């Protein structure tokens, strides 16, 4: 029933291939709409089987055409992922200016400025859409609602908390949400605190979430695990780790409620049809892009 409702909402959503700055004539977020329509409901999907999770890791390069309704998530480095749609749109998260030895120009890049490894002051001017996760005025935050027809990109602002000689900055980080192929894909950026109830509500349902698991530069592993268990996404992709120690502690903390899969490769293909029936952590190995 929920899948039918989701399909109907996607089918009825108006088409607009421009960035929206106001609230009128916006295509609504189906991720928030479904979450609001059925609060507390567990979403049931057809099980893809564990083998579906790592099959993509042995496929050819990032330029290979994708099956219909399938999204590819390639772990480039640190907190950067390449997101590819079935129609060929590309987005790079926490873009630093370098994604590998490739001529690929992403359609969209998102950035966060808690540290220089999450942004660049000089993005390639050929990139059509550069979305900064902070506002022009300190503490003001920013709102994005970029509608590219096949992909909707929006954000939820969170606070940057001082440390390592840095200062606090309200609304200095953004959790970016990519709505594509009926999926709701979230990137937590440089998240420093457990989101508030209002922020969780604004995020809505996240089928896939990319989460920093360093355990210190962003937030403690206990707080990150609590955040992920509340989100209860079908797929968690760990990122922003610096040692096997933090990965091991994160694995141990998640293994009671989540299945654990080692993909042994840099990317993962996902669709609504192949989402696992049990929440699953998929460990990817980062790799820069190469043509």
């Amino acid at each position: 029933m929920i899948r039918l409702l989701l399909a109907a909402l996607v089918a009825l959503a108006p088409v607009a291939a421009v960035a929206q700055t106001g609230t009128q004539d916006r295509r609504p977020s189906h991720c928030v709409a479904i979450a609001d329509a059925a609060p507390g409901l567990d979403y049931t999907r057809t099980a893809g089987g564990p083998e579906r999770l790592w099959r993509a890791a042995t496929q050819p390069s990032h330029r290979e055409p994708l099956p219909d309704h399938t999204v590819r998530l390639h772990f480039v480095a640190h907190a950067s992922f390449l997101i590819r749609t079935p129609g060929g749109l590309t987005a790079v998260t926490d873009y630093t200016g370098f994604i590998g030895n490739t001529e690929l120009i992403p359609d969209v890049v998102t950035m966060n400025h808690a540290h220089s490894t999450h942004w660049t002051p000089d993005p390639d001017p050929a990139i059509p859409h550069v979305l900064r996760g902070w506002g022009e005025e300190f503490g003001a935050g920013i709102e994005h609602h970029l509608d590219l027809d096949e992909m909707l990109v929006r954000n939820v602002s969170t606070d940057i908390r001082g440390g390592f000689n840095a200062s606090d900055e309200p609304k200095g980080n953004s959790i970016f949400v990519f709505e594509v192929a009926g999926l709701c894909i979230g990137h937590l950026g440089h998240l420093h605190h457990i989101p508030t109830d209002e922020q969780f509500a604004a995020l809505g349902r996240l089928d896939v979430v990319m989460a920093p698991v360093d355990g210190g530069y962003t937030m403690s592993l206990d707080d990150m695990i609590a955040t992920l268990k509340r989100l209860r996404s079908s797929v968690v992709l760990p990122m922003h780790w610096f040692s096997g120690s933090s990965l091991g502690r994160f694995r141990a903390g998640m293994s009671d409620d989540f299945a654990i899969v080692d993909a042994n490769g840099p990317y993962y293909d996902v669709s609504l049809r192949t989402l696992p029936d049990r929440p699953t952590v998929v460990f990817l190995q980062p790799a820069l892009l190469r043509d």
Side-chain angles (χ1 to χ4, degrees):
M1 180 66 183
I2 292 300
R3 293 181 64 193
L4 291 175
L5 177 58
L6 175 59
L9 283 170
V10 173
L12 291 173
V15 173
V18 296
Q20 304 284 355
T21 56
T23 57
Q24 293 183 343
D25 300 324
R26 279 187 175 184
R27 172 157 61 112
S29 164
H30 73 264
C31 306
V32 175
I34 292 295
D36 288 345
L41 182 66
D42 289 330
Y43 296 92
T44 304
R45 305 173 182 88
T46 303
E51 71 281 356
R52 305 294 289 270
L53 295 172
W54 62 75
R55 184 180 63 181
T58 59
Q59 296 294 321
S61 78
H62 59 280
R63 295 190 180 277
E64 179 195 16
L66 291 173
D68 290 343
H69 314 298
T70 299
V71 179
R72 176 163 292 178
L73 304 168
H74 182 120
F75 189 12
V76 177
H78 197 54
S80 294
F81 284 79
L82 175 71
I83 301 172
R84 288 185 53 217
T85 73
L89 281 177
T90 54
V92 174
T93 63
D94 280 21
Y95 177 71
T96 64
F98 182 71
I99 55 176
N101 295 317
T102 177
E103 295 181 356
L104 175 70
I105 303 294
D107 297 290
V108 182
V109 299
T110 64
M111 300 191 295
N112 280 298
H113 73 160
H115 295 286
S116 60
T117 50
H118 296 259
W119 72 294
T120 174
D122 302 303
D124 190 330
I127 298 171
H129 303 285
V130 177
L131 307 184
R132 293 167 176 82
W134 63 97
E136 293 185 6
E137 296 183 8
F138 185 86
I142 194 166
E143 182 182 359
H144 295 293
H145 193 95
L146 177 66
D147 190 344
L148 299 177
D149 191 7
E150 193 185 16
M151 176 189 288
L152 174 67
V153 186
R154 58 186 179 88
N155 73 307
V156 174
S157 291
T158 63
D159 297 342
I160 290 177
R161 293 183 174 171
F164 305 100
N165 297 319
S167 59
D168 292 354
E169 182 182 355
K171 299 182 179 180
N173 178 73
S174 280
I175 298 173
F176 283 95
V177 180
F178 304 83
E179 303 188 13
V180 55
L183 293 163
C184 309
I185 301 170
H187 185 279
L188 299 185
H190 211 275
L191 184 63
H192 284 199
H193 60 89
I194 295 176
T196 64
D197 289 345
E198 292 77 13
Q199 289 164 338
F200 275 115
L203 288 172
R205 186 187 93 253
L206 294 182
D207 300 299
V208 181
V209 63
M210 293 158 270
V213 298
D214 56 275
Y217 284 93
T218 53
M219 56 197 289
S220 72
L221 283 178
D222 286 344
D223 284 350
M224 178 55 66
I225 289 169
T227 297
L228 294 172
K229 287 185 176 181
R230 175 163 174 176
L231 286 171
R232 201 164 178 81
S233 302
S234 293
V235 177
V236 175
L237 302 178
M239 64 171 187
H240 202 268
W241 43 266
F242 299 94
S243 70
S245 174
S246 65
L247 280 181
R249 288 186 290 123
F250 177 73
R251 179 191 293 259
M254 295 289 283
S255 61
D256 54 346
D257 293 333
F258 287 69
I260 305 294
V261 169
D262 290 295
N264 299 316
Y267 55 94
Y268 169 59
D269 287 356
V270 61
S271 68
L272 276 175
R273 184 174 57 86
T274 61
L275 284 171
D277 58 344
R278 180 186 176 191
T280 300
V281 179
V282 180
F283 287 91
L284 299 176
Q285 296 299 318
L288 294 171
L289 303 180
R290 298 180 62 184
D291 287 341

